[in-house]
Amino acid sequence: MALLLTSVTLALVAGSHAQADFPDCVNGPLASNAVCDTSLGHVERARALVDELTVAEMINNTVNAAAGVARLGLPPYEWWSEALHGVADSPGVFFADPGEEFSSATSFPMPINMGAAFDDELMRAVGNITSTEARAFNNGGRSGLDYWTPVINPFKDPRWGRGAETPGEDPLHTARYVRPLVEGLQGGNDPAALKVAADCKHWAAYDLEDWGGVERYAFDAVVTSQDMAEYYSPPFRSCVRDARAASVMCSYNAVNGVPACASPFLLQTVLRDAWGLAEDRWVTADCDAVGNVYDPHAYTEDFVNGSAVSLKAGADLDCGTTYAEYLPEAFDRGLIVEEDLKGALTRLYASLVWLGYFDPAENQPYRQISWADVNSPEAQALAYQAAVEGMVLLKNDGTLPLTNATASLALIGPMANATATQMQGNYNGVAPFIISPMQGFQDAGYNVTYVLGTNVTGHDADDLDAALAAAEAADMVIYVGGIDATVEKEALDRLNITWPENQLALISALEEVGKPLIVVQMGGGQLDDTDLKESSSVNAILWAGYPGQSGGTAIADTVIGTVAPAGRLPITQYPASYVDEVDMTDMTLRPDESTGSPGRTYKWYTGTPVYPYGYGLHYTNFSVAWSGTPDDACYDIQDVVGAASGYLDLAPLDTFTVTVTNEGAVASDYVVLLFVSTQAGPAPAPIKELVGYARVANVQPGASVDVDLEVTLGAISRADENGDASLYPGEYELTLDYDGALSLTFELCGDSELVAEWPRES
Ligand SMILES: *[C@@H]1O[C@H](CO)[C@@H](O)[C@H](O)[C@H]1NC(C)=O
Ligand SMILES: *[C@@H]1O[C@H](CO)[C@@H](O)[C@H](O)[C@H]1NC(C)=O
Ligand SMILES: *[C@@H]1O[C@H](CO)[C@@H](O)[C@H](O)[C@H]1NC(C)=O
Ligand SMILES: *[C@@H]1O[C@H](CO)[C@@H](O)[C@H](O)[C@H]1NC(C)=O
Ligand SMILES: *[C@@H]1O[C@H](CO)[C@@H](O)[C@H](O)[C@H]1NC(C)=O
Ligand SMILES: *[C@@H]1O[C@H](CO)[C@@H](O)[C@H](O)[C@H]1NC(C)=O
Ligand SMILES: *[C@@H]1O[C@H](CO)[C@@H](O)[C@H](O)[C@H]1NC(C)=O
Ligand SMILES: *[C@@H]1O[C@H](CO)[C@@H](O)[C@H](O)[C@H]1NC(C)=O
Ligand SMILES: *[C@@H]1O[C@H](CO)[C@@H](O)[C@H](O)[C@H]1NC(C)=O
């Protein structure tokens, strides 16, 4: 979104309750229109409404701040509400003043934390609570029914300013994560009742904000069909085709010369023809992206043509004002016809029909939800659970967990008393409370001395003497720092991935004190931890990201061992030199001698990561063993494909079972990660690829648990230059965990077979 637009829009409508009205299908002028006839289908009902509208009225409703049609009793509607990790401030959402009803909503950790949990069912629960609270806000006249979430662009480059909004760098992980999340948001796949409309964003190949003067609004992402098929698109296919999200957002950037919001290939050929985005589901352009088709992309000769081209390509809604301003002239010039508008508005209104917008409140499953259902005890417990599950222990020499309840703690650093923004990241709402790390330790009964020490960035510590004195006096030093939304943010990418120098200097000084020193690393994008990793004076490193409203409790409970860390890095932690080796504008994944690119993500990166993808320590030792071996030493490709039903890429090859045993003394969750490596298929081959994962909860000391990992045909297929994914005969090696704790080989026999065709540009 364009932040500027957000603040302007918010300023214009602040204090009003723009979402209070539903159309009156009983006594209003609409009552005689078939849009009110519940016996008809979504599209038929919507079309009946659209057929009543004049061209000017239609154009008036192609923008996020839709004017409605007063003469028909169709109220204004704000399409733009946000809920990235809980109901969030946005043009469509109005939080009340403190103390009033609707003054807050449950604030979950940022997606990057929830990605680290590797827990699909957690995401279903988070989606469900978020949509319950969203419906409560809507019923209270304080929000819309359309939530522009989730963000599912794979987090390819550690510099990306919006990486924390995603669950990580792996497309299979993101594809799996998004499905239960969207189903939770939308209330399942109920054709009769949509809970809220989710939005798969940003389609496509969007992962650059502003780097080296290249801005997202003007960036042309040059992407091969192979990289589109295997890296950039799988989360979107899952979101659109499998989770059946009600909407999609096209992105600011161009892809291979065509702005995403003006691309019939991306919006029609892929979304609708290949993935089945139905006629009661719609596409919105990111905010001002329709305007950007002309300025700065210069894809068309003016805004008029840019609007026409976008509408015809399939951008049904303009977040902005370009459609409202320029479609009238596009119509006059004959660049669009009435049917172009009718098509877009039918899709938009059909979605509102699906949401029950035109139906009376009684008989509807979601219209009774109220403020009493917001911030429920289950919701608060889930926010805490999500924060705990996302904690990743990167280093520990045995200092953690801290078992001495009477130890005194020096809490030092710019996030020791983190602000709401530092705990929540971005796209957040007003949390019912925010527990800072300092508060978390105090609540746990510890004697805490707090010193800021230094700011996130800037000059060296003003508070150095106070920090050192606190460290000298305490039994243990807990440094809480890293980066926050002043360093990683929308509309700006990072130039480096180092710890801010002022913070490293303070940590070095604290190391000299000689007390046990724990570093809690905040922020979503990784920092190069090499110095801390190698220092024998840093006893432990815990990555805590943006852990949300209960983050401080989760950090304290993890440090003191009330709970055990089991999250895994959902992104590679690269050495600082990585940023000099590949440009952000380079969309390729594979290492490339001609550009010097060392390759991107754990799949292709040929260098040595500081901490690898999937890394994470425990407070106990787990042993793993295969439970049985595959039925077939060789899977016959033709047999496997012949036995499959439904989408081939989702069909199972086999289920591999791993026995996980807790060999230590501490109960703990355990995340099982399964990778595959093969030379079969197009060269070069990736180092390895994630093919399955599961989070096992609360494995007791001495206990063993069997974990089933289903491997799909899609997961072991490889895409060729055209983007067509096939099964290839050859040898495959499965490895468990980031370090290959277990391995197993199997073969695919027979002839190669297509699993998923990548659509062709016509
Ligand atoms: C378009 O909406 C504006 C309010 O935003 C209203 O003043 C105007 O009359 C509307 N035009 C039509 C044709 O409905
Ligand atoms: C969604 O949350 C509500 C309220 O907590 C709960 O009653 C319901 O069972 C949940 N549904 C699902 C599918 O988890
Ligand atoms: C609109 O712009 C497109 C893309 O530049 C161009 O192909 C087309 O000819 C233009 N149409 C008109 C009517 O100007
Ligand atoms: C716990 O810490 C306190 C305060 O430093 C110390 O007096 C006590 O001996 C420690 N207890 C243990 C068991 O180490
Ligand atoms: C912690 O921060 C809050 C605001 O976020 C502030 O009110 C409070 O005074 C701070 N506490 C300390 C000990 O500095
Ligand atoms: C943090 O920044 C503020 C504002 O620039 C400054 O006044 C303060 O001295 C800084 N504090 C430390 C500990 O560096
Ligand atoms: C808390 O710890 C400090 C040292 O950090 C110590 O000076 C103080 O006496 C302790 N307070 C209590 C109540 O134990
Ligand atoms: C790293 O980038 C940040 C801004 O993101 C800047 O403040 C800092 O000075 C840079 N550090 C180095 C060593 O260049
Ligand atoms: C794990 O096992 C190793 C080797 O037996 C042992 O040294 C270590 O202390 C154990 N760690 C934990 C956390 O139990």
Side-chain angles (χ1 to χ4, degrees):
M1 297 321 105
L3 293 176
L4 189 63
L5 183 71
T6 313
S7 50
V8 169
T9 314
L10 282 173
L12 288 176
V13 291
S16 72
H17 298 182
Q19 304 289 2
D21 300 327
F22 285 90
D24 183 348
C25 263
V26 178
N27 301 310
L30 271 186
S32 59
N33 187 282
V35 75
C36 295
D37 183 346
T38 54
S39 71
L40 301 176
H42 306 158
V43 176
E44 216 178 328
R45 290 175 67 181
R47 182 70 192 207
L49 170 62
V50 169
D51 280 341
E52 291 287 311
L53 307 182
T54 65
V55 167
E57 286 168 344
M58 285 195 280
I59 290 174
N60 238 3
N61 287 286
T62 54
V63 290
N64 65 296
V69 182
R71 73 174 173 91
L72 289 176
L74 189 63
Y77 183 74
E78 175 55 75
W79 289 87
W80 180 5
S81 294
E82 299 279 357
L84 180 66
H85 49 122
V87 175
D89 285 309
S90 44
V93 176
F94 302 91
F95 282 91
D97 292 337
E100 293 180 6
E101 293 190 347
F102 299 105
S103 54
S104 65
T106 306
S107 186
F108 295 100
M110 281 289 275
I112 195 69
N113 289 62
M114 298 197 279
F118 284 94
D119 185 348
D120 292 348
E121 288 313 304
L122 172 72
M123 299 323 298
R124 189 181 306 282
V126 166
N128 179 39
I129 295 289
T130 301
S131 55
T132 295
E133 298 196 351
R135 272 290 182 166
F137 270 66
N138 178 257
N139 290 332
R142 293 191 160 271
S143 77
L145 292 165
D146 295 274
Y147 289 82
W148 295 1
T149 187
V151 178
I152 53 173
N153 304 97
F155 187 177
K156 180 191 65 194
D157 192 297
R159 291 163 284 191
W160 185 27
R162 301 186 70 178
E165 297 175 35
T166 80
E169 75 189 29
D170 184 81
L172 176 128
H173 176 212
T174 303
R176 275 190 45 182
Y177 159 105
V178 73
R179 188 169 175 176
L181 172 58
V182 166
E183 288 171 356
L185 286 166
Q186 297 198 156
N189 274 331
D190 185 351
L194 182 59
K195 197 173 175 191
V196 302
D199 186 63
C200 318
K201 77 187 190 189
H202 316 77
W203 176 242
Y206 167 67
D207 56 17
L208 175 144
E209 301 298 302
D210 181 349
W211 181 83
V214 180
E215 285 191 288
R216 56 186 181 173
Y217 315 107
F219 179 52
D220 180 21
V222 177
V223 188
T224 66
S225 295
Q226 188 176 41
D227 286 342
M228 268 307 260
E230 68 182 19
Y231 190 74
Y232 295 103
S233 73
F236 289 89
R237 181 176 65 189
S238 174
C239 193
V240 171
R241 186 194 70 182
D242 303 327
R244 304 191 66 75
S247 73
V248 178
M249 178 182 289
C250 52
S251 55
Y252 288 120
N253 57 289
V255 178
N256 300 327
V258 185
C261 293
S263 170
F265 173 69
L266 291 174
L267 305 188
Q268 179 67 39
T269 310
V270 182
L271 289 185
R272 294 202 184 268
D273 301 344
W275 295 344
L277 185 71
E279 288 296 304
D280 53 2
R281 303 191 282 157
W282 44 274
V283 173
T284 182
D286 202 341
C287 297
D288 284 344
V290 168
N292 298 151
V293 168
Y294 164 59
D295 179 14
H297 280 299
Y299 180 69
T300 59
E301 59 270 28
D302 57 17
F303 286 120
V304 177
N305 190 350
S307 301
V309 165
S310 301
L311 184 72
K312 284 179 116 49
D316 301 309
L317 187 73
D318 170 21
C319 178
T321 56
T322 312
Y323 274 172
E325 286 177 47
Y326 296 99
L327 283 180
E329 189 173 339
F331 183 78
D332 290 345
R333 283 195 210 164
L335 297 180
I336 59 165
V337 295
E338 213 171 323
E339 193 51 38
D340 296 322
L341 290 164
K342 288 191 171 185
L345 285 189
T346 300
R347 292 187 277 271
L348 286 161
Y349 287 121
S351 163
L352 285 178
V353 169
W354 188 9
L355 284 158
Y357 183 71
F358 295 94
D359 302 333
E362 53 277 11
N363 316 325
Q364 284 198 62
Y366 304 122
R367 290 281 278 278
Q368 324 307 330
I369 297 172
S370 71
W371 168 242
D373 300 303
V374 180
N375 301 320
S376 68
E378 303 97 285
Q380 310 317 294
L382 190 67
Y384 168 75
Q385 183 194 338
V388 167
E389 287 194 19
M391 294 289 155
V392 182
L393 185 63
L394 294 175
K395 175 179 179 177
N396 187 18
D397 65 0
T399 301
L400 295 185
L402 163 63
T403 48
N404 187 347
T406 57
S408 60
L409 308 178
L411 263 273
I412 297 172
M415 282 84 140
N417 181 28
T419 62
T421 304
Q422 288 170 333
M423 298 303 284
Q424 292 180 281
N426 67 359
Y427 283 88
N428 56 287
V430 182
F433 52 81
I434 295 280
I435 314 259
S436 71
M438 175 178 75
Q439 184 71 48
F441 285 101
Q442 284 171 340
D443 290 350
Y446 280 84
N447 173 4
V448 173
T449 305
Y450 161 70
V451 181
L452 172 66
T454 193
N455 288 308
V456 172
T457 54
H459 55 83
D460 285 349
D462 284 352
D463 284 352
L464 182 61
D465 292 344
L468 294 179
E472 296 279 2
D475 295 316
M476 179 182 274
V477 180
I478 300 177
Y479 180 87
V480 191
I483 50 173
D484 63 9
T486 62
V487 176
E488 52 176 350
K489 56 185 169 188
E490 181 160 11
L492 191 63
D493 300 303
R494 286 192 283 163
L495 295 176
N496 60 64
I497 51 173
T498 52
W499 275 80
E501 284 168 33
N502 55 308
Q503 292 195 52
L504 269 193
L506 176 55
I507 295 171
S508 293
L510 292 171
E511 288 177 39
E512 298 297 316
V513 174
K515 294 292 171 66
L517 173 60
I518 315 300
V519 173
V520 178
Q521 182 186 332
M522 307 288 283
Q526 289 294 308
L527 299 167
D528 177 349
D529 282 343
T530 302
D531 288 354
L532 310 179
K533 182 185 181 187
E534 289 176 355
S535 167
S536 58
S537 304
V538 174
N539 303 83
I541 306 172
L542 179 71
W543 176 76
Y546 295 103
Q549 64 182 39
S550 288
T553 311
I555 289 169
D557 286 356
T558 304
V559 165
I560 67 185
T562 315
V563 294
R568 302 300 189 99
L569 278 187
I571 38 178
T572 302
Q573 187 182 107
Y574 296 93
S577 58
Y578 184 78
V579 302
D580 302 322
E581 294 173 336
V582 57
D583 289 348
M584 271 204 81
T585 48
D586 180 348
M587 299 300 287
T588 65
L589 278 298
R590 288 158 183 71
D592 186 343
E593 278 176 19
S594 72
T595 62
S597 168
R600 294 172 165 291
T601 80
Y602 75 92
K603 296 185 185 204
W604 297 102
Y605 178 57
T606 47
T608 306
V610 181
Y611 288 113
Y613 180 84
Y615 192 76
L617 303 171
H618 302 94
Y619 286 163
T620 184
N621 280 320
F622 284 98
S623 68
V624 286
W626 299 115
S627 169
T629 44
D631 297 338
D632 298 300
C634 195
Y635 297 90
D636 183 272
I637 292 175
Q638 276 64 44
D639 287 355
V640 165
V641 169
S645 58
Y647 298 118
L648 271 184
D649 57 282
L650 293 181
L653 172 78
D654 206 343
T655 295
F656 299 87
T657 305
V658 178
T659 304
V660 174
T661 304
N662 186 341
E663 306 281 0
V666 174
S668 176
D669 288 9
Y670 181 78
V671 170
V672 195
L673 300 172
L674 186 65
F675 298 90
V676 76
S677 310
T678 183
Q679 295 299 320
I687 298 161
K688 62 179 182 179
E689 299 191 273
L690 187 71
V691 292
Y693 63 85
R695 187 179 182 110
V696 203
N698 198 22
V699 186
Q700 294 298 310
S704 292
V705 181
D706 280 354
V707 185
D708 290 337
L709 296 155
E710 185 186 85
V711 175
T712 63
L713 302 187
I716 55 162
S717 67
R718 302 269 326 280
D720 66 14
E721 278 182 8
N722 295 320
D724 295 333
S726 297
L727 292 179
Y728 290 97
E731 196 164 280
Y732 292 73
E733 182 179 35
L734 291 177
T735 52
L736 201 84
D737 219 333
Y738 68 91
D739 59 353
L742 281 181
S743 70
L744 172 163
T745 56
F746 65 84
E747 270 186 79
L748 295 188
C749 309
D751 298 323
S752 66
E753 190 94 49
L754 189 67
V755 166
E757 187 174 37
W758 180 247
R760 298 294 189 268
E761 308 230 15
S762 51

